[in-house]
Amino acid sequence: MRLVVVGGVAAGMSAAARARRLDESAEIIVLEKGPYVSFANCGLPYYVGGEIKDSSKLLVQTPESLRAALNLDVRVNHEVIAMDGEAQTVTVRGPGGEETIEYDALVLAPGAEAIRPPIPGLDSPRVMTLRSVEDALKMREVVASSAGRAVVLGAGFIGLEAAEELRSQGLEVSVVELAPHVLPPLEPELATLIRAELERLGIRVLDSTGATEIRHSAESDIVVLSNGSEIEADLVVLSAGVRPATGPFEAAGLECSRGAILIDTHGRTSVPKVWAGGDAVAIRTESGQAPRPVPLAGPANRAGRLIADSIFSGENAREIPLPVGTAVVRVGELTAALTGWNRQTLDLERRAYETINLHPFQHASYYPGATPMHLVVHFDPITGELLGAQGVGLEGVERRIDVFATAMKGGLRIADLIDLDLAYAPPYGTAKDAVNMAGMVGENVMEGMTSLWHAEELVDEMKEALILDVRSPEEYRSGHIPGALNVPHTEVRSSLEEIRTEAGGRPVRVHCASGFRSYLSELMLRADGLDVRNLTGGMTTLKQVIAAGQLPGIELVEGESRS
Ligand SMILES: Cc1cc2nc3c(=O)[nH]c(=O)nc-3n(C[C@H](O)[C@H](O)[C@H](O)COP(=O)(O)OP(=O)(O)OC[C@H]3O[C@@H](n4cnc5c(N)ncnc54)[C@H](O)[C@@H]3O)c2cc1C
């Protein structure tokens, strides 16, 4: 049995190593076009910024260590340039020229490459990507020697990691993002917190902005932007997304979708004896959901292992699950984490969903250092299926998002979150953890105990409804929705007549700072026969939505309470 693996990092090396564990006698050849295998792509930004000091730490294995430990025949600087599925061969270009290698089983794990948008001047030597060890070595050298100003094109995960690391080295950094906000997969109300943190770090953020040209000169490059302005740069980091690096394999006739090799849940491609995994693939679904690559390290590593299982155990192997896209990134002092679908993908897939916003503390409020986590949770309002969760905060966010990801994998429904028995002591959490709270709110929604309105609906609600602010007069004075009636939640029960009169037959849309006091008020008002809804996430979410530019023309008013 000769197994040939193309691509010697996450998915490829996981497949090769597992294959050896499953079959001591197999001949296993790994072909890697770059000079390194098994390197830590995810660590590259931290090497550029000097957090990882020694580049050798990025090299998890070498061809020699892999030969010694696993008897793998690892050939670096060997690029596969063609494949013949009929003849079961690949053509490889290496230091000694071209050769053809036969296989009994082939694993394709070529990963992804940086998208190069058609921007004139992108071939300037000052434009760099951050995809390989060589890229990182070069970038760190440039930073140490000459660069004072950097422009990062693309504010995705890698772009923001690069921006922060460059800033930490004292560079003037501008981030340019075509989408309306940084970290495009994040919901806008959370992304606005990340933007503020970038600005606090001294990073200039230009969203809804594209680069239209890069003008190169001996002294510096000029990045010309779609808004007509220009930024001078000594270094331009191109991180405008990735696409599958599948050229030779698509040309060989493998079925692909937008460049991604289509695989089934055992990693099998459309060509017999050929498996594929990692950033280069998309899994076919029976649900009709559009197959799309999820370029993340965890799914790639785990899929590599399952592909080896499929090769050696056939149908008995465990299936590769559809990745839900659980991701986390540090931006300054904040952490942003997400799992599952966001509003945009839910809308694209035409899924019915309800969204709740929560701002619970990461640990007991009385224990020093309590800070809020800002959570957004999507679920199916009929079945309670968990569809996605995101969070931003100073502490504890990634732990909660991991719990949501686990719950989703386990098929738990929103109300099941109430019963999760999560570790608690005051420095770590609360007796009713944030995840439990999300379950309680979700169950209340499903059972009709609460009926929600969302900050994005404010303009319509202001036209149709009485906005009732049940915060304290001090909170109201510090900034309230224009025209809102202020009745502190402790006075709602005794003010029902006044509220009914003010409403004058209109529905009542109630809110407080985060949604809890207004929930209590909602119950009182509904018991009194009023048509009432509670603003999910309260004023805290509303302010985030305003900051995200989703309510143009709406400004909060400071000043006296009407009550
Ligand atoms: C800077 C950076 C930071 C990242 N941070 C994170 C993170 O924090 N968390 C996270 O989940 N993910 C992160 N990722 C993404 C993660 O690294 C990838 O999802 C993962 O490595 C994909 O694994 P893969 O095996 O598909 O591809 P890769 O690990 O990219 O490996 C593909 C290999 O195939 C080789 N290759 C390509 N074509 C050929 C060919 N024709 N012949 C031979 N060899 C070929 C390439 O040279 C490459 O070495 C990061 C990526 C980068 C670049």
Tab-separated table of all heavy atoms in Angstrom, residues 6-12 31-34 36 39 41-45 78-81 109-112 130-131 158 161 245 248-249 277-280 295-298 300 328, ligand 1:
chain	number	residue	atom	x	y	z
A	6	VAL	N	-0.509	15.037	-0.213
A	6	VAL	CA	-0.077	16.325	-0.781
A	6	VAL	C	-0.376	17.413	0.241
A	6	VAL	O	-1.534	17.644	0.597
A	6	VAL	CB	-0.820	16.622	-2.106
A	6	VAL	CG1	-0.324	17.939	-2.697
A	6	VAL	CG2	-0.633	15.486	-3.086
A	7	GLY	N	0.678	18.072	0.715
A	7	GLY	CA	0.487	19.116	1.724
A	7	GLY	C	0.903	18.561	3.074
A	7	GLY	O	0.293	17.608	3.575
A	8	GLY	N	1.929	19.163	3.669
A	8	GLY	CA	2.496	18.569	4.879
A	8	GLY	C	2.281	19.382	6.127
A	8	GLY	O	3.185	19.475	6.971
A	9	VAL	N	1.074	19.978	6.260
A	9	VAL	CA	0.868	20.723	7.508
A	9	VAL	C	-0.333	20.114	8.256
A	9	VAL	O	-0.276	18.938	8.628
A	9	VAL	CB	0.764	22.242	7.265
A	9	VAL	CG1	0.796	23.013	8.586
A	9	VAL	CG2	1.942	22.711	6.412
A	10	ALA	N	-1.414	20.870	8.388
A	10	ALA	CA	-2.452	20.448	9.348
A	10	ALA	C	-3.151	19.148	8.921
A	10	ALA	O	-2.950	18.088	9.530
A	10	ALA	CB	-3.445	21.580	9.539
A	11	ALA	N	-3.973	19.224	7.870
A	11	ALA	CA	-4.755	18.034	7.481
A	11	ALA	C	-3.837	16.939	6.942
A	11	ALA	O	-3.997	15.760	7.279
A	11	ALA	CB	-5.798	18.425	6.435
A	12	GLY	N	-2.869	17.335	6.111
A	12	GLY	CA	-2.006	16.346	5.474
A	12	GLY	C	-1.185	15.572	6.489
A	12	GLY	O	-1.122	14.336	6.470
A	31	LEU	N	4.284	14.990	0.253
A	31	LEU	CA	4.875	15.942	-0.697
A	31	LEU	C	4.469	17.347	-0.279
A	31	LEU	O	3.274	17.675	-0.219
A	31	LEU	CB	4.358	15.639	-2.111
A	31	LEU	CG	4.666	14.219	-2.596
A	31	LEU	CD1	3.882	13.894	-3.862
A	31	LEU	CD2	6.171	14.049	-2.823
A	32	GLU	N	5.434	18.155	0.028
A	32	GLU	CA	5.166	19.520	0.505
A	32	GLU	C	5.942	20.497	-0.364
A	32	GLU	O	7.166	20.373	-0.504
A	32	GLU	CB	5.570	19.629	1.984
A	32	GLU	CG	5.679	21.044	2.517
A	32	GLU	CD	4.417	21.893	2.350
A	32	GLU	OE1	3.339	21.456	2.764
A	32	GLU	OE2	4.533	23.009	1.782
A	33	LYS	N	5.241	21.459	-0.905
A	33	LYS	CA	5.923	22.356	-1.847
A	33	LYS	C	6.851	23.355	-1.156
A	33	LYS	O	7.826	23.808	-1.742
A	33	LYS	CB	4.916	23.060	-2.755
A	33	LYS	CG	4.213	24.238	-2.185
A	33	LYS	CD	3.410	24.951	-3.262
A	33	LYS	CE	2.618	26.091	-2.659
A	33	LYS	NZ	1.651	26.658	-3.563
A	34	GLY	N	6.549	23.676	0.088
A	34	GLY	CA	7.402	24.625	0.808
A	34	GLY	C	8.585	23.921	1.462
A	34	GLY	O	8.703	22.698	1.422
A	36	TYR	N	9.172	23.750	4.678
A	36	TYR	CA	8.894	23.251	6.038
A	36	TYR	C	7.629	22.399	6.035
A	36	TYR	O	6.728	22.621	5.236
A	36	TYR	CB	8.669	24.416	7.012
A	36	TYR	CG	9.803	25.412	7.034
A	36	TYR	CD1	9.672	26.637	6.390
A	36	TYR	CD2	10.984	25.131	7.710
A	36	TYR	CE1	10.705	27.560	6.404
A	36	TYR	CE2	12.029	26.052	7.730
A	36	TYR	CZ	11.887	27.260	7.081
A	36	TYR	OH	12.903	28.164	7.099
A	39	PHE	N	4.363	23.051	10.342
A	39	PHE	CA	4.692	24.298	11.041
A	39	PHE	C	3.423	24.921	11.612
A	39	PHE	O	2.306	24.565	11.219
A	39	PHE	CB	5.450	25.267	10.129
A	39	PHE	CG	4.678	25.745	8.930
A	39	PHE	CD1	3.874	26.885	9.003
A	39	PHE	CD2	4.761	25.073	7.723
A	39	PHE	CE1	3.174	27.335	7.899
A	39	PHE	CE2	4.051	25.510	6.613
A	39	PHE	CZ	3.251	26.642	6.707
A	41	ASN	N	1.167	27.485	11.523
A	41	ASN	CA	0.676	28.678	10.814
A	41	ASN	C	0.026	29.666	11.802
A	41	ASN	O	0.204	30.865	11.684
A	41	ASN	CB	-0.400	28.408	9.745
A	41	ASN	CG	-0.533	26.992	9.312
A	41	ASN	OD1	-0.380	26.099	10.120
A	41	ASN	ND2	-0.810	26.801	8.051
A	42	CYS	N	-0.713	29.090	12.748
A	42	CYS	CA	-1.477	29.963	13.649
A	42	CYS	C	-0.560	30.803	14.537
A	42	CYS	O	-0.992	31.812	15.100
A	42	CYS	CB	-2.409	29.127	14.515
A	42	CYS	SG	-3.401	27.982	13.540
A	43	GLY	N	0.691	30.386	14.661
A	43	GLY	CA	1.616	31.142	15.510
A	43	GLY	C	2.342	32.248	14.777
A	43	GLY	O	3.031	33.065	15.408
A	44	LEU	N	2.186	32.297	13.440
A	44	LEU	CA	3.010	33.237	12.656
A	44	LEU	C	2.846	34.696	13.097
A	44	LEU	O	3.852	35.399	13.257
A	44	LEU	CB	2.694	33.101	11.156
A	44	LEU	CG	2.932	31.710	10.532
A	44	LEU	CD1	2.543	31.712	9.051
A	44	LEU	CD2	4.385	31.277	10.700
A	45	PRO	N	1.617	35.195	13.301
A	45	PRO	CA	1.499	36.609	13.686
A	45	PRO	C	2.252	36.915	14.979
A	45	PRO	O	2.833	37.994	15.125
A	45	PRO	CB	-0.009	36.815	13.877
A	45	PRO	CG	-0.657	35.727	13.062
A	45	PRO	CD	0.287	34.565	13.139
A	78	HIS	N	8.763	19.919	-2.764
A	78	HIS	CA	8.194	19.061	-3.803
A	78	HIS	C	6.748	19.502	-4.045
A	78	HIS	O	5.889	19.284	-3.187
A	78	HIS	CB	8.224	17.582	-3.379
A	78	HIS	CG	9.549	16.943	-3.606
A	78	HIS	ND1	10.669	17.277	-2.861
A	78	HIS	CD2	9.964	15.997	-4.493
A	78	HIS	CE1	11.700	16.556	-3.278
A	78	HIS	NE2	11.297	15.781	-4.270
A	79	GLU	N	6.528	20.109	-5.193
A	79	GLU	CA	5.189	20.615	-5.500
A	79	GLU	C	4.477	19.677	-6.480
A	79	GLU	O	5.043	19.331	-7.528
A	79	GLU	CB	5.291	22.017	-6.132
A	79	GLU	CG	3.929	22.573	-6.492
A	79	GLU	CD	3.983	23.981	-7.041
A	79	GLU	OE1	5.107	24.484	-7.278
A	79	GLU	OE2	2.907	24.558	-7.253
A	80	VAL	N	3.278	19.298	-6.143
A	80	VAL	CA	2.479	18.474	-7.057
A	80	VAL	C	1.850	19.412	-8.087
A	80	VAL	O	1.134	20.354	-7.730
A	80	VAL	CB	1.403	17.691	-6.281
A	80	VAL	CG1	0.472	16.964	-7.247
A	80	VAL	CG2	2.068	16.698	-5.343
A	81	ILE	N	2.166	19.156	-9.355
A	81	ILE	CA	1.674	20.068	-10.402
A	81	ILE	C	0.600	19.421	-11.268
A	81	ILE	O	-0.072	20.100	-12.030
A	81	ILE	CB	2.841	20.583	-11.290
A	81	ILE	CG1	3.652	19.399	-11.850
A	81	ILE	CG2	3.742	21.528	-10.521
A	81	ILE	CD1	4.697	19.822	-12.887
A	109	ALA	N	-4.253	17.686	0.652
A	109	ALA	CA	-4.411	18.666	1.733
A	109	ALA	C	-3.557	19.891	1.411
A	109	ALA	O	-2.654	20.256	2.174
A	109	ALA	CB	-4.005	18.042	3.068
A	110	PRO	N	-3.844	20.523	0.266
A	110	PRO	CA	-2.987	21.640	-0.159
A	110	PRO	C	-3.337	22.970	0.509
A	110	PRO	O	-2.670	23.970	0.245
A	110	PRO	CB	-3.245	21.715	-1.670
A	110	PRO	CG	-4.654	21.225	-1.831
A	110	PRO	CD	-4.867	20.205	-0.750
A	111	GLY	N	-4.384	22.975	1.341
A	111	GLY	CA	-4.709	24.202	2.062
A	111	GLY	C	-5.257	25.294	1.167
A	111	GLY	O	-5.850	25.038	0.118
A	112	ALA	N	-4.999	26.524	1.593
A	112	ALA	CA	-5.555	27.678	0.885
A	112	ALA	C	-4.437	28.662	0.584
A	112	ALA	O	-3.341	28.562	1.131
A	112	ALA	CB	-6.613	28.342	1.757
A	130	LEU	N	0.895	36.735	4.974
A	130	LEU	CA	1.355	36.055	6.182
A	130	LEU	C	0.744	34.658	6.184
A	130	LEU	O	-0.274	34.409	6.828
A	130	LEU	CB	0.929	36.859	7.423
A	130	LEU	CG	1.466	36.394	8.776
A	130	LEU	CD1	2.963	36.174	8.762
A	130	LEU	CD2	1.086	37.373	9.870
A	131	ARG	N	1.344	33.750	5.389
A	131	ARG	CA	0.797	32.408	5.237
A	131	ARG	C	1.822	31.329	5.580
A	131	ARG	O	1.444	30.212	5.880
A	131	ARG	CB	0.323	32.167	3.786
A	131	ARG	CG	-0.641	33.145	3.233
A	131	ARG	CD	-2.100	32.788	3.397
A	131	ARG	NE	-2.407	31.403	3.517
A	131	ARG	CZ	-3.356	30.929	4.307
A	131	ARG	NH1	-4.078	31.741	5.038
A	131	ARG	NH2	-3.611	29.648	4.371
A	158	ILE	N	-6.806	36.923	10.729
A	158	ILE	CA	-5.350	37.030	10.552
A	158	ILE	C	-4.945	38.491	10.388
A	158	ILE	O	-3.935	38.934	10.943
A	158	ILE	CB	-4.898	36.171	9.352
A	158	ILE	CG1	-5.229	34.701	9.633
A	158	ILE	CG2	-3.405	36.340	9.074
A	158	ILE	CD1	-5.000	33.769	8.453
A	161	GLU	N	-4.890	40.034	13.827
A	161	GLU	CA	-3.736	39.553	14.612
A	161	GLU	C	-2.461	40.242	14.121
A	161	GLU	O	-1.648	40.695	14.920
A	161	GLU	CB	-3.599	38.035	14.472
A	161	GLU	CG	-4.652	37.277	15.258
A	161	GLU	CD	-4.644	35.765	14.988
A	161	GLU	OE1	-3.869	35.303	14.128
A	161	GLU	OE2	-5.435	35.070	15.623
A	245	ALA	N	-6.306	26.134	-2.548
A	245	ALA	CA	-5.135	26.062	-3.450
A	245	ALA	C	-5.218	24.772	-4.272
A	245	ALA	O	-4.390	23.871	-4.131
A	245	ALA	CB	-3.851	26.107	-2.626
A	248	PRO	N	-4.132	22.407	-9.591
A	248	PRO	CA	-3.821	21.179	-10.340
A	248	PRO	C	-4.901	20.099	-10.190
A	248	PRO	O	-5.063	19.262	-11.071
A	248	PRO	CB	-2.513	20.690	-9.704
A	248	PRO	CG	-2.021	21.765	-8.828
A	248	PRO	CD	-3.150	22.695	-8.541
A	249	PHE	N	-5.624	20.136	-9.093
A	249	PHE	CA	-6.578	19.049	-8.813
A	249	PHE	C	-7.922	19.330	-9.489
A	249	PHE	O	-8.586	18.412	-9.963
A	249	PHE	CB	-6.696	18.866	-7.299
A	249	PHE	CG	-5.338	18.820	-6.666
A	249	PHE	CD1	-4.871	19.863	-5.875
A	249	PHE	CD2	-4.474	17.769	-6.953
A	249	PHE	CE1	-3.592	19.844	-5.352
A	249	PHE	CE2	-3.187	17.742	-6.436
A	249	PHE	CZ	-2.738	18.782	-5.637
A	277	GLY	N	-8.919	16.991	2.396
A	277	GLY	CA	-9.363	17.591	3.659
A	277	GLY	C	-8.726	18.945	3.886
A	277	GLY	O	-7.806	19.352	3.168
A	278	GLY	N	-9.228	19.650	4.895
A	278	GLY	CA	-8.643	20.934	5.292
A	278	GLY	C	-9.256	22.111	4.559
A	278	GLY	O	-10.395	22.071	4.083
A	279	ASP	N	-8.451	23.177	4.450
A	279	ASP	CA	-8.937	24.438	3.864
A	279	ASP	C	-9.338	24.303	2.397
A	279	ASP	O	-10.009	25.176	1.854
A	279	ASP	CB	-7.828	25.505	3.920
A	279	ASP	CG	-7.583	26.020	5.318
A	279	ASP	OD1	-8.224	25.525	6.254
A	279	ASP	OD2	-6.734	26.917	5.475
A	280	ALA	N	-8.875	23.221	1.749
A	280	ALA	CA	-9.088	23.081	0.307
A	280	ALA	C	-10.425	22.443	-0.039
A	280	ALA	O	-10.728	22.284	-1.223
A	280	ALA	CB	-7.955	22.246	-0.294
A	295	PRO	N	-12.003	27.507	6.741
A	295	PRO	CA	-10.536	27.459	6.854
A	295	PRO	C	-10.048	27.655	8.277
A	295	PRO	O	-9.564	28.718	8.650
A	295	PRO	CB	-10.076	28.596	5.926
A	295	PRO	CG	-11.217	29.563	5.923
A	295	PRO	CD	-12.470	28.794	6.217
A	296	LEU	N	-10.168	26.606	9.067
A	296	LEU	CA	-9.723	26.663	10.461
A	296	LEU	C	-8.904	25.418	10.793
A	296	LEU	O	-9.116	24.346	10.213
A	296	LEU	CB	-10.934	26.749	11.397
A	296	LEU	CG	-11.697	28.075	11.377
A	296	LEU	CD1	-13.028	27.937	12.090
A	296	LEU	CD2	-10.868	29.191	12.011
A	297	ALA	N	-8.000	25.600	11.747
A	297	ALA	CA	-7.028	24.545	12.035
A	297	ALA	C	-7.652	23.310	12.690
A	297	ALA	O	-7.274	22.181	12.366
A	297	ALA	CB	-5.932	25.106	12.941
A	298	GLY	N	-8.582	23.525	13.605
A	298	GLY	CA	-9.162	22.377	14.314
A	298	GLY	C	-9.837	21.397	13.366
A	298	GLY	O	-9.496	20.199	13.343
A	300	ALA	N	-9.401	21.023	10.246
A	300	ALA	CA	-8.426	20.443	9.310
A	300	ALA	C	-7.661	19.296	9.979
A	300	ALA	O	-7.507	18.217	9.406
A	300	ALA	CB	-7.446	21.522	8.844
A	328	VAL	N	-11.837	31.827	17.636
A	328	VAL	CA	-11.575	32.796	18.707
A	328	VAL	C	-10.399	33.656	18.292
A	328	VAL	O	-9.511	33.193	17.578
A	328	VAL	CB	-11.313	32.059	20.052
A	328	VAL	CG1	-10.095	31.159	19.979
A	328	VAL	CG2	-11.166	33.033	21.209
B	1	LIG	C1	-1.243	33.370	9.903
B	1	LIG	C2	-2.301	32.336	10.135
B	1	LIG	C3	-2.916	32.269	11.368
B	1	LIG	C4	-3.912	31.321	11.586
B	1	LIG	N1	-4.498	31.270	12.827
B	1	LIG	C5	-5.451	30.336	13.067
B	1	LIG	C6	-6.023	30.213	14.353
B	1	LIG	O1	-5.645	30.935	15.293
B	1	LIG	N2	-7.005	29.298	14.522
B	1	LIG	C7	-7.418	28.479	13.514
B	1	LIG	O2	-8.309	27.640	13.712
B	1	LIG	N3	-6.871	28.555	12.292
B	1	LIG	C8	-5.906	29.461	12.037
B	1	LIG	N4	-5.331	29.534	10.800
B	1	LIG	C9	-5.842	28.640	9.730
B	1	LIG	C10	-5.202	27.274	9.810
B	1	LIG	O3	-3.819	27.408	9.855
B	1	LIG	C11	-5.636	26.478	8.591
B	1	LIG	O4	-7.040	26.354	8.632
B	1	LIG	C12	-5.045	25.096	8.561
B	1	LIG	O5	-3.647	25.144	8.601
B	1	LIG	C13	-5.494	24.375	7.276
B	1	LIG	O6	-4.873	23.153	7.173
B	1	LIG	P1	-4.586	22.511	5.749
B	1	LIG	O7	-3.869	21.253	6.031
B	1	LIG	O8	-5.805	22.478	4.960
B	1	LIG	O9	-3.628	23.549	5.026
B	1	LIG	P2	-2.207	24.087	5.473
B	1	LIG	O10	-1.980	23.867	6.917
B	1	LIG	O11	-2.124	25.470	4.963
B	1	LIG	O12	-1.215	23.154	4.673
B	1	LIG	C14	-1.241	23.082	3.282
B	1	LIG	C15	0.162	22.806	2.793
B	1	LIG	O13	0.064	22.306	1.478
B	1	LIG	C16	1.151	22.788	0.716
B	1	LIG	N5	0.766	22.720	-0.692
B	1	LIG	C17	-0.157	23.453	-1.355
B	1	LIG	N6	-0.255	23.074	-2.633
B	1	LIG	C18	0.637	22.084	-2.806
B	1	LIG	C19	1.011	21.317	-3.911
B	1	LIG	N7	0.425	21.473	-5.091
B	1	LIG	N8	1.987	20.396	-3.756
B	1	LIG	C20	2.576	20.215	-2.544
B	1	LIG	N9	2.265	20.931	-1.463
B	1	LIG	C21	1.290	21.852	-1.571
B	1	LIG	C22	1.318	24.203	1.218
B	1	LIG	O14	2.635	24.660	0.975
B	1	LIG	C23	1.021	24.051	2.714
B	1	LIG	O15	2.201	23.888	3.463
B	1	LIG	C24	-4.308	30.442	10.555
B	1	LIG	C25	-3.679	30.503	9.313
B	1	LIG	C26	-2.672	31.437	9.102
B	1	LIG	C27	-1.985	31.475	7.771
